[in-house]
Amino acid sequence: MNNLKRARMTSTPDFDRFLYEAIASDREAGAGLGPDSLYGLYTSWCMMSRSPIASPEALFRALKEHGISPWSNRLAMTGPAATDYILASAPSLV
């Protein structure tokens, strides 16, 4: 495998893993997560998992490919990335 192909493979965001580890389908989540919260959770997850951070547009495109609207959903945060994002968003809670 040449170096360029290897670099592309290692820099490709793992959106499926993000969805599995940090997102929960929750019918009681109220309005769900908005675009800012989704991207904030995603960046927290990327930093924790040492994954490259893609642009908001790339994340939203990947979510749409999974049938998820970044603007209207019933999603909830879960896992360590959720804790990290919440604490980073509201440092007065610490």
Side-chain angles (χ1 to χ4, degrees), residues 17-26 33 36-49 75-91 93-94:
R17 189 170 147 220
F18 162 69
L19 290 173
Y20 178 76
E21 293 179 3
I23 298 289
S25 296
D26 189 351
L33 301 173
D36 291 340
S37 295
L38 280 166
Y39 193 69
L41 176 63
Y42 169 70
T43 57
S44 287
W45 178 83
C46 286
M47 288 187 289
M48 293 182 78
S49 66
L75 301 176
M77 299 179 193
T78 190
T83 303
D84 181 71
Y85 172 72
I86 291 166
L87 292 175
S89 299
L93 295 176
V94 178

Short mmCIF file of all heavy atoms in Angstrom, two decimals, residues 17-26 33 36-49 75-91 93-94:
data_model
loop_
_atom_site.label_atom_id
_atom_site.label_comp_id
_atom_site.label_asym_id
_atom_site.label_seq_id
_atom_site.Cartn_x
_atom_site.Cartn_y
_atom_site.Cartn_z
N ARG A 17 -18.49 4.62 13.96
CA ARG A 17 -18.04 4.40 15.34
C ARG A 17 -18.53 5.52 16.26
O ARG A 17 -18.95 5.27 17.39
CB ARG A 17 -16.52 4.29 15.36
CG ARG A 17 -15.99 3.84 16.69
CD ARG A 17 -14.51 3.51 16.62
NE ARG A 17 -13.94 3.87 17.91
CZ ARG A 17 -12.78 4.44 18.09
NH1 ARG A 17 -12.01 4.73 17.07
NH2 ARG A 17 -12.36 4.73 19.29
N PHE A 18 -18.49 6.76 15.78
CA PHE A 18 -19.02 7.89 16.55
C PHE A 18 -20.49 7.66 16.89
O PHE A 18 -20.91 7.81 18.04
CB PHE A 18 -18.84 9.20 15.77
CG PHE A 18 -19.72 10.32 16.27
CD1 PHE A 18 -19.49 10.90 17.51
CD2 PHE A 18 -20.76 10.80 15.49
CE1 PHE A 18 -20.29 11.94 17.98
CE2 PHE A 18 -21.57 11.83 15.95
CZ PHE A 18 -21.34 12.40 17.19
N LEU A 19 -21.28 7.28 15.91
CA LEU A 19 -22.70 7.05 16.15
C LEU A 19 -22.91 5.94 17.17
O LEU A 19 -23.76 6.05 18.05
CB LEU A 19 -23.41 6.71 14.83
CG LEU A 19 -23.54 7.85 13.83
CD1 LEU A 19 -24.11 7.34 12.52
CD2 LEU A 19 -24.40 8.97 14.39
N TYR A 20 -22.14 4.88 17.07
CA TYR A 20 -22.28 3.73 17.97
C TYR A 20 -21.88 4.10 19.40
O TYR A 20 -22.55 3.71 20.36
CB TYR A 20 -21.42 2.57 17.46
CG TYR A 20 -21.46 1.37 18.36
CD1 TYR A 20 -22.57 0.53 18.37
CD2 TYR A 20 -20.41 1.07 19.21
CE1 TYR A 20 -22.62 -0.57 19.21
CE2 TYR A 20 -20.45 -0.02 20.05
CZ TYR A 20 -21.56 -0.84 20.04
OH TYR A 20 -21.61 -1.92 20.88
N GLU A 21 -20.81 4.87 19.56
CA GLU A 21 -20.27 5.15 20.88
C GLU A 21 -20.85 6.38 21.57
O GLU A 21 -20.80 6.47 22.80
CB GLU A 21 -18.75 5.30 20.80
CG GLU A 21 -18.04 4.02 20.44
CD GLU A 21 -16.53 4.16 20.34
OE1 GLU A 21 -16.00 5.28 20.62
OE2 GLU A 21 -15.87 3.17 20.00
N ALA A 22 -21.38 7.34 20.81
CA ALA A 22 -21.74 8.62 21.43
C ALA A 22 -23.18 9.06 21.22
O ALA A 22 -23.60 10.06 21.79
CB ALA A 22 -20.79 9.71 20.94
N ILE A 23 -23.94 8.34 20.40
CA ILE A 23 -25.31 8.75 20.09
C ILE A 23 -26.27 7.64 20.48
O ILE A 23 -26.02 6.47 20.23
CB ILE A 23 -25.47 9.03 18.57
CG1 ILE A 23 -24.58 10.19 18.14
CG2 ILE A 23 -26.91 9.29 18.21
CD1 ILE A 23 -25.01 11.55 18.63
N ALA A 24 -27.39 8.04 21.09
CA ALA A 24 -28.43 7.08 21.45
C ALA A 24 -29.75 7.56 20.85
O ALA A 24 -30.05 8.75 20.87
CB ALA A 24 -28.55 6.97 22.96
N SER A 25 -30.52 6.63 20.32
CA SER A 25 -31.88 6.95 19.88
C SER A 25 -32.74 6.94 21.12
O SER A 25 -32.83 5.93 21.81
CB SER A 25 -32.39 5.91 18.89
OG SER A 25 -31.62 5.93 17.72
N ASP A 26 -33.34 8.06 21.41
CA ASP A 26 -34.10 8.19 22.65
C ASP A 26 -35.41 8.92 22.35
O ASP A 26 -35.40 10.12 22.10
CB ASP A 26 -33.28 8.95 23.70
CG ASP A 26 -33.93 8.94 25.06
OD1 ASP A 26 -35.09 8.49 25.19
OD2 ASP A 26 -33.27 9.37 26.01
N LEU A 33 -30.90 16.48 19.52
CA LEU A 33 -29.68 17.27 19.46
C LEU A 33 -29.68 18.15 18.23
O LEU A 33 -29.96 17.69 17.13
CB LEU A 33 -28.46 16.35 19.42
CG LEU A 33 -28.29 15.40 20.60
CD1 LEU A 33 -27.13 14.45 20.34
CD2 LEU A 33 -28.07 16.19 21.87
N ASP A 36 -25.32 22.33 16.56
CA ASP A 36 -24.19 22.74 17.41
C ASP A 36 -23.84 21.65 18.42
O ASP A 36 -22.67 21.35 18.65
CB ASP A 36 -24.50 24.05 18.14
CG ASP A 36 -24.56 25.23 17.20
OD1 ASP A 36 -24.00 25.15 16.08
OD2 ASP A 36 -25.16 26.25 17.58
N SER A 37 -24.85 21.07 19.05
CA SER A 37 -24.61 20.01 20.02
C SER A 37 -24.03 18.77 19.35
O SER A 37 -23.13 18.12 19.90
CB SER A 37 -25.89 19.64 20.76
OG SER A 37 -26.33 20.72 21.53
N LEU A 38 -24.54 18.42 18.19
CA LEU A 38 -24.01 17.25 17.48
C LEU A 38 -22.53 17.45 17.14
O LEU A 38 -21.72 16.55 17.35
CB LEU A 38 -24.80 17.00 16.20
CG LEU A 38 -26.13 16.28 16.36
CD1 LEU A 38 -26.96 16.39 15.09
CD2 LEU A 38 -25.89 14.82 16.72
N TYR A 39 -22.20 18.63 16.64
CA TYR A 39 -20.81 18.86 16.27
C TYR A 39 -19.92 18.96 17.51
O TYR A 39 -18.80 18.45 17.51
CB TYR A 39 -20.65 20.10 15.39
CG TYR A 39 -19.28 20.15 14.76
CD1 TYR A 39 -18.92 19.22 13.79
CD2 TYR A 39 -18.34 21.08 15.16
CE1 TYR A 39 -17.65 19.23 13.22
CE2 TYR A 39 -17.06 21.10 14.60
CZ TYR A 39 -16.73 20.17 13.62
OH TYR A 39 -15.47 20.17 13.08
N GLY A 40 -20.41 19.57 18.57
CA GLY A 40 -19.64 19.63 19.81
C GLY A 40 -19.39 18.25 20.38
O GLY A 40 -18.28 17.93 20.82
N LEU A 41 -20.42 17.41 20.39
CA LEU A 41 -20.27 16.03 20.85
C LEU A 41 -19.28 15.28 19.96
O LEU A 41 -18.41 14.56 20.45
CB LEU A 41 -21.62 15.32 20.85
CG LEU A 41 -21.62 13.84 21.21
CD1 LEU A 41 -21.15 13.64 22.64
CD2 LEU A 41 -23.01 13.25 21.01
N TYR A 42 -19.40 15.48 18.68
CA TYR A 42 -18.50 14.84 17.72
C TYR A 42 -17.05 15.25 17.96
O TYR A 42 -16.15 14.39 17.99
CB TYR A 42 -18.93 15.17 16.29
CG TYR A 42 -17.93 14.77 15.24
CD1 TYR A 42 -17.71 13.44 14.94
CD2 TYR A 42 -17.20 15.74 14.56
CE1 TYR A 42 -16.78 13.07 13.98
CE2 TYR A 42 -16.27 15.38 13.60
CZ TYR A 42 -16.07 14.05 13.32
OH TYR A 42 -15.14 13.69 12.36
N THR A 43 -16.78 16.53 18.17
CA THR A 43 -15.40 16.96 18.41
C THR A 43 -14.87 16.40 19.73
O THR A 43 -13.70 16.02 19.82
CB THR A 43 -15.24 18.49 18.36
OG1 THR A 43 -16.10 19.09 19.31
CG2 THR A 43 -15.54 19.02 16.97
N SER A 44 -15.72 16.34 20.76
CA SER A 44 -15.30 15.71 22.02
C SER A 44 -14.96 14.24 21.79
O SER A 44 -13.93 13.75 22.27
CB SER A 44 -16.41 15.81 23.08
OG SER A 44 -16.53 17.12 23.56
N TRP A 45 -15.80 13.55 21.04
CA TRP A 45 -15.55 12.14 20.75
C TRP A 45 -14.23 11.97 19.97
O TRP A 45 -13.43 11.08 20.28
CB TRP A 45 -16.72 11.54 19.97
CG TRP A 45 -16.48 10.12 19.60
CD1 TRP A 45 -16.70 9.02 20.38
CD2 TRP A 45 -15.92 9.64 18.37
NE1 TRP A 45 -16.31 7.88 19.71
CE2 TRP A 45 -15.84 8.23 18.48
CE3 TRP A 45 -15.50 10.25 17.20
CZ2 TRP A 45 -15.34 7.45 17.45
CZ3 TRP A 45 -15.00 9.47 16.18
CH2 TRP A 45 -14.92 8.07 16.31
N CYS A 46 -14.01 12.83 18.99
CA CYS A 46 -12.78 12.74 18.20
C CYS A 46 -11.55 12.94 19.06
O CYS A 46 -10.57 12.21 18.94
CB CYS A 46 -12.79 13.79 17.08
SG CYS A 46 -13.90 13.40 15.72
N MET A 47 -11.59 13.92 19.95
CA MET A 47 -10.43 14.17 20.81
C MET A 47 -10.19 12.99 21.74
O MET A 47 -9.05 12.57 21.94
CB MET A 47 -10.62 15.46 21.59
CG MET A 47 -10.49 16.69 20.69
SD MET A 47 -10.50 18.26 21.57
CE MET A 47 -12.20 18.35 22.09
N MET A 48 -11.25 12.43 22.28
CA MET A 48 -11.11 11.30 23.20
C MET A 48 -10.64 10.03 22.48
O MET A 48 -9.88 9.24 23.03
CB MET A 48 -12.42 11.04 23.92
CG MET A 48 -12.79 12.17 24.87
SD MET A 48 -14.29 11.81 25.76
CE MET A 48 -13.62 10.68 26.98
N SER A 49 -11.10 9.84 21.26
CA SER A 49 -10.74 8.63 20.52
C SER A 49 -9.52 8.83 19.61
O SER A 49 -9.14 7.91 18.89
CB SER A 49 -11.93 8.15 19.69
OG SER A 49 -12.23 9.10 18.68
N LEU A 75 -32.39 12.31 19.05
CA LEU A 75 -31.15 11.72 19.51
C LEU A 75 -30.73 12.27 20.86
O LEU A 75 -31.05 13.39 21.21
CB LEU A 75 -30.03 11.97 18.49
CG LEU A 75 -30.26 11.43 17.09
CD1 LEU A 75 -29.12 11.83 16.18
CD2 LEU A 75 -30.43 9.92 17.12
N ALA A 76 -29.99 11.45 21.60
CA ALA A 76 -29.44 11.87 22.88
C ALA A 76 -27.96 11.51 22.90
O ALA A 76 -27.51 10.63 22.17
CB ALA A 76 -30.17 11.15 24.03
N MET A 77 -27.22 12.21 23.74
CA MET A 77 -25.80 11.92 23.92
C MET A 77 -25.64 10.74 24.88
O MET A 77 -26.46 10.56 25.77
CB MET A 77 -25.09 13.12 24.55
CG MET A 77 -25.14 14.36 23.75
SD MET A 77 -24.28 15.67 24.66
CE MET A 77 -24.80 17.06 23.70
N THR A 78 -24.55 10.00 24.70
CA THR A 78 -24.26 8.90 25.61
C THR A 78 -22.75 8.69 25.67
O THR A 78 -22.02 9.15 24.79
CB THR A 78 -24.98 7.61 25.16
OG1 THR A 78 -24.86 6.63 26.18
CG2 THR A 78 -24.45 7.07 23.85
N GLY A 79 -22.30 8.02 26.69
CA GLY A 79 -20.90 7.63 26.80
C GLY A 79 -19.99 8.73 27.31
O GLY A 79 -20.42 9.84 27.64
N PRO A 80 -18.69 8.42 27.34
CA PRO A 80 -17.69 9.37 27.85
C PRO A 80 -17.63 10.69 27.08
O PRO A 80 -17.38 11.74 27.66
CB PRO A 80 -16.37 8.61 27.74
CG PRO A 80 -16.75 7.17 27.67
CD PRO A 80 -18.10 7.13 27.03
N ALA A 81 -17.85 10.64 25.78
CA ALA A 81 -17.82 11.88 24.99
C ALA A 81 -18.94 12.82 25.41
O ALA A 81 -18.77 14.04 25.40
CB ALA A 81 -17.91 11.58 23.50
N ALA A 82 -20.09 12.26 25.79
CA ALA A 82 -21.20 13.10 26.27
C ALA A 82 -20.80 13.82 27.55
O ALA A 82 -21.03 15.03 27.69
CB ALA A 82 -22.44 12.24 26.49
N THR A 83 -20.18 13.11 28.46
CA THR A 83 -19.73 13.72 29.72
C THR A 83 -18.71 14.82 29.43
O THR A 83 -18.80 15.92 29.98
CB THR A 83 -19.11 12.65 30.64
OG1 THR A 83 -20.08 11.64 30.88
CG2 THR A 83 -18.66 13.26 31.96
N ASP A 84 -17.76 14.53 28.57
CA ASP A 84 -16.73 15.51 28.21
C ASP A 84 -17.36 16.75 27.59
O ASP A 84 -17.03 17.87 27.97
CB ASP A 84 -15.73 14.89 27.24
CG ASP A 84 -14.63 15.85 26.86
OD1 ASP A 84 -13.78 16.15 27.73
OD2 ASP A 84 -14.61 16.31 25.69
N TYR A 85 -18.28 16.55 26.67
CA TYR A 85 -18.92 17.69 25.99
C TYR A 85 -19.73 18.53 26.99
O TYR A 85 -19.66 19.75 26.98
CB TYR A 85 -19.83 17.20 24.85
CG TYR A 85 -20.65 18.31 24.26
CD1 TYR A 85 -20.05 19.28 23.47
CD2 TYR A 85 -22.01 18.41 24.52
CE1 TYR A 85 -20.79 20.32 22.95
CE2 TYR A 85 -22.76 19.44 23.99
CZ TYR A 85 -22.15 20.40 23.21
OH TYR A 85 -22.89 21.43 22.70
N ILE A 86 -20.49 17.88 27.84
CA ILE A 86 -21.32 18.60 28.81
C ILE A 86 -20.45 19.40 29.77
O ILE A 86 -20.70 20.58 30.03
CB ILE A 86 -22.25 17.63 29.56
CG1 ILE A 86 -23.30 17.09 28.61
CG2 ILE A 86 -22.89 18.32 30.77
CD1 ILE A 86 -24.07 15.88 29.13
N LEU A 87 -19.39 18.80 30.28
CA LEU A 87 -18.50 19.51 31.20
C LEU A 87 -17.76 20.67 30.50
O LEU A 87 -17.55 21.72 31.09
CB LEU A 87 -17.52 18.56 31.85
CG LEU A 87 -18.15 17.56 32.82
CD1 LEU A 87 -17.11 16.58 33.33
CD2 LEU A 87 -18.84 18.28 33.98
N ALA A 88 -17.38 20.47 29.25
CA ALA A 88 -16.71 21.53 28.50
C ALA A 88 -17.67 22.67 28.18
O ALA A 88 -17.27 23.83 28.11
CB ALA A 88 -16.12 20.97 27.21
N SER A 89 -18.95 22.35 28.01
CA SER A 89 -19.96 23.35 27.68
C SER A 89 -20.43 24.14 28.89
O SER A 89 -20.91 25.25 28.76
CB SER A 89 -21.18 22.69 27.03
OG SER A 89 -20.81 22.05 25.85
N ALA A 90 -20.34 23.52 30.06
CA ALA A 90 -20.82 24.16 31.29
C ALA A 90 -19.80 23.97 32.40
O ALA A 90 -20.03 23.20 33.34
CB ALA A 90 -22.17 23.58 31.67
N PRO A 91 -18.66 24.67 32.32
CA PRO A 91 -17.61 24.46 33.32
C PRO A 91 -18.05 24.81 34.75
O PRO A 91 -17.44 24.34 35.70
CB PRO A 91 -16.46 25.36 32.85
CG PRO A 91 -17.05 26.28 31.86
CD PRO A 91 -18.29 25.62 31.33
N LEU A 93 -20.41 23.58 36.24
CA LEU A 93 -20.90 22.35 36.86
C LEU A 93 -19.81 21.60 37.60
O LEU A 93 -20.09 20.74 38.42
CB LEU A 93 -21.53 21.43 35.81
CG LEU A 93 -22.78 21.94 35.13
CD1 LEU A 93 -23.23 20.96 34.05
CD2 LEU A 93 -23.90 22.15 36.14
N VAL A 94 -18.57 21.90 37.29
CA VAL A 94 -17.45 21.18 37.90
C VAL A 94 -17.18 21.72 39.30
O VAL A 94 -17.21 22.82 39.61
CB VAL A 94 -16.19 21.29 37.02
CG1 VAL A 94 -15.02 20.59 37.68
CG2 VAL A 94 -16.44 20.74 35.66
#
